[in-house]
Amino acid sequence: MSALVQPLPDVNPLQDPLRFARRVPPCAVVIFGASGDLSKRKLLPSLYRLFYERRISPNFAVIGSSRTPMSDDRFRDTMKDSVSKFLEDAPFDETVWKSFAQCLFYVPGDLNNPSSYDDLRVKLDAVEKSHQTAGNVLFYLSTQPSHYAEAILELGAHHLNKGNGWRRVIIEKPFGHDLNSARKLNDEIHKVFDESEVYRIDHYLGKETVQNILAFRFGNSMFEPLWNRRYVDHVQITAAESIGVEGRGAYYKEAGALRDMIQNHLSQVMATVAMEPPSVFDATNVRDERAKLLRSVRVMKPEDVPTYAVAGQYGPGKVGGQDLPGFRQEPSVDPDSQTDTYAAVTFFIDNWRWAGVPFYVRTGKRLPKRVTDIAIQFKSPPLGLFQQETKTGPREVRPNLLVVRIQPEEGISLRFLSKSPGSGMRVRPVSMDFNYGSSFGERTPTAYETLLVDAMAGDPTLYTRQDMVDASWQIVQPILDVWAHSIFDFPNYPAGTWGPKASDEMLARQGHVWRVP
Amino acid sequence: MSSAVIFPAQPEQILKGLGKLWTSLGEEEKQHGKPTVLRACAMTLIVATDENDGGFYVSQTISELMREHPSRGIVLCVSPEAEKSLEARVLAQCWKPFGKAQQICCEQIEIVARPESWPNVGPTLIGLTAADLPVIFWCRHQAALSPQATRDERAGLEAVSSIATKIIVDTAELNPEAALKLIADWQMQGRVVADLEWTRLTPWREPLAHIFDNLARENTFSKFHTVEVVHTGERPSSCVLYIAAWLSRPYNAKVKFKREQGYGPGIQRIVLHSDAEAIQFERSSTDCMTLSSTNGRARKYSYQDTGLAELMTEELSILGPDGAFNAAFARAQELIRELE
């Protein structure tokens, strides 16, 4: 038999990358905080979906851990309810579930209790043998952020950070409460895990459209030449939510909009929009460029904060005939709360490409609709040859606008001017649209599916690195410091509106207006 | 679906008709005061059918395909019943994604040709292909693919395949010798060819391949010396040959074919034998597949017959040469010679 004399292959000869999903190695995923909301709503449905689509190895297991006492079977039943309920755009298959459930295990335990980690070790050893996970373990910290350091140090103390295979740890946001706490947390983590083993998750980076920004910018030659201060007038990044804090008042009153969204998600989005092209598309080079961009963002002086940052908090309002409570009327919220439910910041990027171009970033709750997008507003042509036709008569032309929609309808639109039919030279804006859903009709994987597979495959491109986290805290820290010592006249915008007047004034000072997305 | 006007099969007139169609869709847009129609095209998809296959079924499939692969669809129906030697109509296939305000529309051209006119259709098609985009030819005209094809059918097939970037056929209904010869002839001419019988194998191939991703596995793929494929047909069909070829090619493993009754037509079970282990992947019920190993656990997968639109969606994602198929195809040709 020729098989006996041929050398063993370096790669699987049955692989067919044209048709098969990317392969990930065998591994066990340990979820701390397994009875929590994130596990139920996102992690387990994503893992089930990956299993259903055969995108993870058959040699796979999940070990859930939390304080709630539960058997393996009880954990499986609980997770079955959650998965069937929270599975997005995908069917729940009883037969596949039975197979998936065989990969689910549970270890009850308290993160403070050292014996819990001994129990975990026993379970991991058993699973390594029964499910042939090759000793690879992905730890997922889905616990209270205040327990991150403690859990990681205990993993180290029990030598769970080393084993027969690789060990990696995913850490959910918020990564620290401010710059100092983030640095301290990094130091604690690095006592146990090397930076290459740390995966700080920012689910915005896992969204298809955010990834598509890189493809759009660096896969096409026609936009990149315009992508600079010479042609771009300003950039607006909006992440609006129509809902309030929805029972997260206790968490939100500690975080606020600036910490909850701008420090992490939106600063990473801004970095993706503005970064230089990497020389190679790999994790190191892409993250180097993102980090470099974040380090180029001008750090505000305290006296500049009132000019370039606006805090807001929603008050009661009426939407669609329905009365909505203000933030201070939400459960678990102090009636005199100074928490920002809206934040808008003008960033400047001090590099050759972007010097002088304002990047306006805003986020808020109880805004008129749920939308996240990035608008690149190009400069007007140097000479105004045409007038734009509108219902109220001709007016000056509106410049080109490129909008990258992240949610709800992922896609890209380019607004440009076209001549209106008929005699005379009147122009009107038309839109050229790329709709992600219609051009790629297959189900778009959720951000958590993408990011979990990446972590299992050892690809940290879409995860944030220590220096990126550090840089993003540096740019918001002066604002946090000033706001911490300010008394705001909250509420300053009614629920269902586009935020406080001061936010409009911030743009008006630069001669700009917020778009209505 | 919107608008349908009959034209003589002159490319200029057909394209003019298409232009009018888009103008009328734009009128609707104007009335709504905001964009309601999105025009999309990523390729030209030519579908050749015969009179038994055309009409709603093909249009329906194209409309399903356009969600992922928006195209200018050209349906070429060859029918002796055609009133004129060549005539065409244009229409737009539109769909509105759930919960969205905007319709996505793709254009479709239907050309009806008498069998004797089919060989002359080339210039018309060339004039109708979308500029700078790939041209995919999906041949559903089974008679033209068979060894008994008439001279006109062969010439017609050549007229269309000669302008195609990729040719897609389905050899499920052909005898495997004829099927493999047809594809081999095209490949000899340097054409990119796909067979939906290979596409149907993806749900079988992927879990099998996945097993050998585990580098810690004691029994590597190279140790499996025999591939056994159990099928329902009287003789191994194209897909049975393909799967056996794909599994046996890397290490020249021995191949055994076996016939048994099972759940639905086609492959029922695949068994890989090594000295130490057997890996079995079988249809364990009408909607379930079970992957098991004598050394390990069993894992179940849901199984659904892959619909035509899904098969085509997968094929349209691969516009260039398909190395895995080409390698398996070459080995399948050897296997069929061994069977003889």
Side-chain angles (χ1 to χ4, degrees):
Chain A
M1 185 59 49
S2 59
L4 298 176
V5 294
Q6 291 191 26
L8 290 179
D10 292 325
V11 291
N12 179 351
L14 299 183
Q15 269 310 328
D16 187 351
L18 281 178
R19 291 173 196 266
F20 301 166
R22 183 171 62 153
R23 310 263 51 96
V24 296
C27 72
V29 179
V30 177
I31 302 174
F32 291 109
S35 58
D37 240 24
L38 182 72
S39 293
K40 288 178 185 169
R41 287 171 180 268
K42 298 290 181 190
L43 301 183
L44 265 298
S46 298
L47 288 167
Y48 167 80
R49 185 69 210 177
L50 292 170
F51 186 91
Y52 180 90
E53 291 184 346
R54 302 188 292 268
R55 287 164 61 202
I56 48 180
S57 169
N59 303 114
F60 156 82
V62 175
I63 301 174
S65 180
S66 70
R67 277 185 294 194
T68 314
M70 256 192 285
S71 65
D72 287 344
D73 284 339
R74 180 72 206 284
F75 179 61
R76 288 165 187 160
D77 290 344
T78 309
M79 289 305 135
K80 184 181 178 186
D81 293 344
S82 303
V83 168
S84 55
K85 186 175 171 188
F86 295 114
L87 206 52
E88 291 172 23
D89 302 330
F92 180 80
D93 186 302
E94 192 70 41
T95 312
V96 175
W97 172 263
K98 279 182 185 157
S99 203
F100 179 70
Q102 288 173 18
C103 303
L104 300 186
F105 301 91
Y106 187 76
V107 178
D110 192 328
L111 292 169
N112 302 318
N113 182 356
S115 72
S116 303
Y117 297 87
D118 294 328
D119 296 343
L120 178 60
R121 165 184 291 287
V122 170
K123 188 70 96 176
L124 271 172
D125 288 345
V127 159
E128 184 178 336
K129 289 189 183 78
S130 64
H131 285 61
Q132 299 172 29
T133 55
N136 298 326
V137 184
L138 177 64
F139 296 104
Y140 199 116
L141 294 185
S142 172
T143 62
Q144 287 288 332
S146 54
H147 292 145
Y148 289 166
E150 188 180 17
I152 284 174
L153 292 173
E154 287 294 343
L155 287 174
H158 290 80
H159 307 292
L160 286 163
N161 58 331
K162 303 282 174 217
N164 295 331
W166 48 255
R167 300 289 153 118
R168 296 178 189 137
V169 59
I170 297 181
I171 300 171
E172 266 290 335
K173 73 150 199 177
F175 197 83
H177 189 69
D178 54 20
L179 180 59
N180 288 334
S181 61
R183 285 178 172 167
K184 194 170 168 225
L185 180 56
N186 268 324
D187 292 343
E188 302 281 31
I189 291 169
H190 289 155
K191 287 177 186 167
V192 177
F193 289 102
D194 183 75
E195 177 62 23
S196 64
E197 297 168 322
V198 182
Y199 287 67
R200 296 173 194 82
I201 198 163
D202 185 325
H203 75 269
Y204 259 61
L205 291 181
K207 289 178 181 286
E208 287 288 323
T209 326
V210 175
Q211 296 176 61
N212 194 34
I213 293 169
L214 297 178
F216 180 78
R217 288 189 57 200
F218 306 134
N220 299 296
S221 57
M222 58 200 280
F223 296 105
E224 200 53 25
L226 309 178
W227 215 261
N228 55 51
R229 64 188 301 275
R230 189 167 174 195
Y231 297 102
V232 174
D233 187 67
H234 69 277
V235 177
Q236 295 187 16
I237 300 175
T238 301
E241 289 184 64
S242 55
I243 57 170
V245 290
E246 306 287 307
R248 289 171 71 225
Y251 160 75
Y252 204 78
K253 70 183 180 188
E254 298 298 323
L258 184 66
R259 273 195 185 89
D260 191 46
M261 292 294 290
I262 296 182
Q263 181 274 326
N264 39 65
H265 303 320
L266 300 186
S267 65
Q268 294 301 331
V269 169
M270 180 172 72
T272 308
V273 170
M275 66 190 246
E276 293 298 316
S279 56
V280 180
F281 194 81
D282 63 15
T284 304
N285 282 281
V286 171
R287 298 199 299 175
D288 281 351
E289 294 302 338
R290 276 208 184 100
K292 203 166 82 184
L293 188 285
L294 289 168
R295 285 196 298 271
S296 308
V297 177
R298 188 185 303 165
V299 178
M300 283 181 214
K301 293 177 187 151
E303 59 269 29
D304 290 336
V305 170
T307 309
Y308 295 116
V310 172
Q313 187 190 84
Y314 63 87
K318 205 167 194 139
V319 174
Q322 191 192 345
D323 287 322
L324 298 172
F327 178 67
R328 290 175 175 181
Q329 286 77 49
E330 299 274 8
S332 313
V333 175
D334 182 347
D336 298 318
S337 170
Q338 286 286 306
T339 301
D340 51 307
T341 63
Y342 176 98
V345 182
T346 305
F347 289 115
F348 288 97
I349 297 169
D350 288 337
N351 64 17
W352 277 56
R353 186 191 280 262
W354 295 115
V357 177
F359 280 70
Y360 301 114
V361 180
R362 64 175 161 172
T363 183
K365 291 198 174 289
R366 285 271 187 244
L367 299 184
K369 62 177 172 183
R370 173 178 171 260
V371 61
T372 303
D373 67 18
I374 304 151
I376 318 288
Q377 176 85 64
F378 290 92
K379 289 185 175 171
S380 297
L383 200 58
L385 294 179
F386 308 112
Q387 286 194 314
Q388 183 178 322
E389 195 176 62
T390 67
K391 283 179 183 167
T392 54
R395 71 168 191 200
E396 205 174 311
V397 296
R398 290 159 72 185
N400 296 125
L401 183 71
L402 181 76
V403 179
V404 179
R405 299 185 306 273
I406 295 174
Q407 61 188 18
E409 288 185 50
E410 296 182 297
I412 296 172
S413 298
L414 177 64
R415 186 181 72 192
F416 60 96
L417 293 175
S418 173
K419 180 185 172 300
S420 289
S423 62
M425 187 52 90
R426 289 284 165 82
V427 293
R428 65 169 184 181
V430 291
S431 177
M432 193 154 68
D433 284 346
F434 159 73
N435 185 308
Y436 219 78
S438 60
S439 295
F440 302 98
E442 63 185 27
R443 193 190 68 91
T444 308
T446 65
Y448 277 95
E449 286 171 40
T450 303
L451 292 166
L452 281 165
V453 164
D454 282 0
M456 291 182 212
D459 180 357
T461 308
L462 301 176
Y463 285 85
T464 52
R465 210 170 49 190
Q466 176 193 357
D467 54 343
M468 297 158 72
V469 173
D470 201 286
S472 61
W473 272 118
Q474 289 207 46
I475 61 177
V476 300
Q477 192 61 51
I479 307 171
L480 289 171
D481 291 342
V482 170
W483 286 3
H485 297 99
S486 305
I487 303 292
F488 294 105
D489 187 17
F490 285 161
N492 58 356
Y493 69 99
T497 65
W498 278 109
K501 204 175 155 201
S503 180
D504 297 332
E505 290 165 357
M506 179 177 79
L507 266 71
R509 284 194 287 275
Q510 306 279 341
H512 298 137
V513 289
W514 283 115
R515 288 172 54 245
V516 179
Chain B
M1 195 179 292
S2 145
S3 188
V5 187
I6 302 291
F7 297 95
Q10 297 295 325
E12 294 80 9
Q13 295 204 27
I14 295 170
L15 292 175
K16 204 170 166 185
L18 272 181
K20 281 184 182 167
L21 183 61
W22 285 111
T23 305
S24 68
L25 289 168
E27 283 299 314
E28 188 187 342
E29 185 173 331
K30 205 172 171 182
Q31 284 167 12
H32 284 78
K34 59 179 183 179
T36 54
V37 177
L38 182 66
R39 183 180 182 174
C41 184
M43 64 181 68
T44 300
L45 175 62
I46 303 172
V47 189
T49 70
D50 56 31
E51 57 190 336
N52 302 317
D53 181 46
F56 175 77
Y57 182 64
V58 170
S59 286
Q60 180 70 18
T61 307
I62 290 179
S63 76
E64 286 177 44
L65 288 175
M66 77 183 187
R67 296 172 188 212
E68 190 159 345
H69 299 290
S71 63
R72 174 176 288 177
I74 303 176
V75 179
L76 173 63
C77 183
V78 181
S79 167
E81 306 296 315
E83 285 180 19
K84 295 178 182 168
S85 62
L86 271 179
E87 62 185 11
R89 66 177 189 143
V90 295
L91 50 114
Q93 291 267 19
C94 298
W95 68 289
K96 192 182 277 191
F98 180 73
K100 309 288 167 69
Q102 200 172 37
Q103 293 188 92
I104 319 291
C105 291
C106 295
E107 50 204 20
Q108 188 172 316
I109 300 162
E110 287 183 4
I111 299 176
V112 183
R114 285 200 196 122
E116 67 274 16
S117 305
W118 189 8
N120 306 323
V121 81
T124 304
L125 292 178
I126 290 170
L128 292 176
T129 56
D132 306 315
L133 293 173
V135 178
I136 310 301
F137 173 32
W138 177 21
C139 185
R140 294 185 48 81
H141 195 295
Q142 292 301 311
L145 298 176
S146 78
Q148 290 77 39
T150 64
R151 199 174 64 175
D152 282 342
E153 284 168 342
R154 275 199 295 273
L157 194 60
E158 176 57 25
V160 189
S161 58
S162 63
I163 62 169
T165 316
K166 177 174 178 172
I167 304 163
I168 300 173
V169 293
D170 187 350
T171 63
E173 303 298 322
L174 293 177
N175 80 58
E177 287 87 355
L180 266 58
K181 184 177 182 314
L182 175 81
I183 294 172
D185 288 347
W186 268 325
Q187 285 187 336
M188 289 281 283
Q189 296 165 35
R191 308 254 164 90
V192 175
V193 190
D195 185 350
L196 296 183
E197 278 286 84
W198 170 256
T199 324
R200 287 189 182 92
L201 293 175
T202 303
W204 288 88
R205 295 195 302 125
E206 194 168 13
L208 280 168
H210 215 151
I211 297 172
F212 299 100
D213 284 334
N214 186 355
L215 297 176
R217 203 172 195 288
E218 285 174 22
N219 233 344
T220 58
F221 181 63
S222 60
K223 292 185 181 166
F224 288 84
H225 49 68
T226 306
V227 176
E228 185 183 330
V229 184
V230 178
H231 58 94
T232 51
E234 243 173 66
R235 303 179 55 215
S237 61
S238 311
C239 76
V240 172
L241 288 166
Y242 289 154
I243 195 89
W246 175 67
L247 287 166
S248 65
R249 190 197 64 83
Y251 296 101
N252 205 19
K254 200 160 82 182
V255 175
K256 285 183 188 171
F257 295 108
K258 201 171 161 187
R259 188 183 173 207
E260 265 180 25
Q261 292 304 310
Y263 299 98
I267 301 167
Q268 296 304 311
R269 188 165 65 247
I270 296 163
V271 191
L272 301 179
H273 296 277
S274 74
D275 291 338
E277 183 187 11
I279 290 174
Q280 179 168 295
F281 195 26
E282 70 173 336
R283 279 188 76 169
S284 42
S285 69
T286 48
D287 58 359
C288 183
M289 293 163 95
T290 304
L291 181 62
S292 56
S293 156
T294 47
N295 289 350
R297 296 167 301 118
R299 180 171 169 174
K300 290 185 186 303
Y301 298 91
S302 76
Y303 180 86
Q304 284 152 350
D305 282 325
T306 317
L308 202 51
E310 287 166 283
L311 294 172
M312 281 298 292
T313 296
E314 184 175 323
E315 275 314 322
L316 294 179
S317 304
I318 304 166
L319 296 179
D322 179 350
F325 172 64
N326 291 344
F329 182 80
R331 173 77 177 124
Q333 287 179 293
E334 292 170 16
L335 288 177
I336 204 161
R337 281 195 291 271
E338 287 167 18
L339 281 174
E340 285 164 1

